[in-house]
């Protein structure tokens, strides 16, 4: 069976502090199961079947570069008043306006306290049932190519493929969308934000990794050494990890 996304993985200088910021942004809770900080719905991470696509903050010594992240989160709002309130609340907790060349748009682009860009969207019908995270958005040179790879890699449903975007969502119709949006230029620095994927119970993780390689994934050496997960890149160089079943 194909894999499922279980975390958005974000590298951080100060995991607890950034976790608190994002817990406030999403109305969720922050947990520290180890050296990482996990942000998810109340109740803590439910392993190996999380109830939501949470965020796992992993400590690194290097700060974010000035280069825009190629992966970011879009936050959902339910009304104009909700969007205004959320932007003001996050600004009070360290978010700053960000200019990524968006021009005059109805949503608000911000950066978290470590510089990771994200968007607070105006109310949109598509995202009324997603929860606080509307979408995980990935810059893409060729959305058709990403649709072919990720549509086969995941057990998520492919909702839309055009020249400008590819859109997937869990087959259960819950949680955020995964959106590949056409953007000029390719990858120039390591990703600060990536997805962590997990096999289902009873599936062969090594066989799943081999299948991903056949689909076009490549092995990635970040100096991770001997770890129980597998680091890969998709056909456009976006990093992701396949976690082991515990």
């Amino acid at each position: 069976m194909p894999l499922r996304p279980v975390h958005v993985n974000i590298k951080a200088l100060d995991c607890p502090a950034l976790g608190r910021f994002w817990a406030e942004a999403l109305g969720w809770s922050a947990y520290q199961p180890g050296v990482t900080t996990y942000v998810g719905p109340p109740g803590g991470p439910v392993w190996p079947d999380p109830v939501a696509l949470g965020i796992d903050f992993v400590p690194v010594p290097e700060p974010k570069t000035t280069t825009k992240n190629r992966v970011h989160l879009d936050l959902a709002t339910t009304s104009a008043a909700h969007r205004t309130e959320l932007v003001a609340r996050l600004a009070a907790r360290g978010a700053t306006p960000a200019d990524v060349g968006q021009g005059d748009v109805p949503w608000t682009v911000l950066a978290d306290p470590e510089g990771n860009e994200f968007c607070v969207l105006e109310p949109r019908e598509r995202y009324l049932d997603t929860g606080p995270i509307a979408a995980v958005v990935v810059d893409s040179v060729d959305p058709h190519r990403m649709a072919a790879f990720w549509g086969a890699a995941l057990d998520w449903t492919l909702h839309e493929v055009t020249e400008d975007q590819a859109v997937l969502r869990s087959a259960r119709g819950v949680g955020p969308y995964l959106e590949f949006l056409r953007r000029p230029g390719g990858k120039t620095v390591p990703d600060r934000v990536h997805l962590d994927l997990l096999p289902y119970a009873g599936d062969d993780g090594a066989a799943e990794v081999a299948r991903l390689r056949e689909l076009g994934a490549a092995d990635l050496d970040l100096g991770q050494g001997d770890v129980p997960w597998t680091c890969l890149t998709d056909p456009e160089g976006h990093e992701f990890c396949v976690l082991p079943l515990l």
Side-chain angles (χ1 to χ4, degrees):
M1 181 180 292
L3 299 155
R4 58 214 160 117
V6 290
H7 296 149
V8 177
N9 186 300
I10 300 180
K11 299 179 176 69
L13 290 174
D14 188 336
C15 294
L18 203 57
R20 288 191 296 271
F21 171 87
W22 279 97
E24 174 66 24
L26 302 174
W28 285 352
S29 300
Y31 311 90
Q32 288 183 265
V35 297
T36 69
T37 297
Y38 177 81
V39 171
V46 181
W47 202 256
D49 294 304
V51 297
L53 187 66
I55 307 177
D56 196 32
F57 296 91
V58 178
V60 295
E62 307 86 5
K64 179 185 179 294
T65 68
T66 57
T67 302
K68 172 186 171 294
N69 285 341
R70 297 178 74 221
V71 182
H72 73 269
L73 300 181
D74 280 352
L75 305 191
T77 62
T78 56
S79 66
H82 179 205
R83 184 173 72 88
T84 299
E85 181 277 330
L86 180 57
V87 169
R89 180 156 45 90
L90 295 179
R93 284 160 175 75
T96 54
D99 185 352
V100 294
Q102 69 269 21
D104 184 16
V105 293
W107 59 90
T108 303
V109 184
L110 300 172
D112 71 17
E114 292 200 8
N116 300 297
E117 303 89 357
F118 65 98
C119 297
V120 180
L121 301 180
E122 76 286 2
R124 300 185 193 180
E125 178 126 5
R126 168 181 273 182
Y127 305 129
L128 291 180
D129 65 350
T130 61
I133 302 176
V136 180
V137 183
V138 184
D139 291 353
S140 174
V141 176
D142 184 350
H144 278 281
R145 189 182 190 195
M146 291 296 92
F149 175 82
W150 287 97
L154 304 181
D155 68 337
W156 283 22
T157 300
L158 192 58
H159 281 253
E160 180 181 355
V161 184
T162 69
E163 290 300 315
D164 294 323
Q165 67 178 4
V167 179
L168 300 94
R169 194 186 189 195
S170 167
R172 295 181 295 144
V174 297
Y177 289 81
L178 176 60
E179 301 179 354
F180 296 89
L181 301 186
R182 183 178 293 278
R183 296 284 187 269
K187 178 175 176 179
T188 59
V189 298
D191 291 335
R192 197 79 176 173
V193 183
H194 70 260
L195 286 174
D196 283 343
L197 312 181
L198 187 69
Y200 283 89
D203 285 354
D204 185 334
E208 281 298 308
V209 168
R211 186 178 67 86
L212 293 174
R213 293 187 182 112
E214 291 178 358
L215 291 171
D219 290 294
L220 174 67
D221 185 357
L222 293 170
Q224 66 267 22
D226 185 16
V227 293
W229 58 88
T230 303
C231 298
L232 300 167
T233 59
D234 72 14
E236 286 193 356
H238 305 107
E239 300 159 8
F240 66 96
C241 294
V242 178
L243 304 180
L245 282 167
L246 300 178

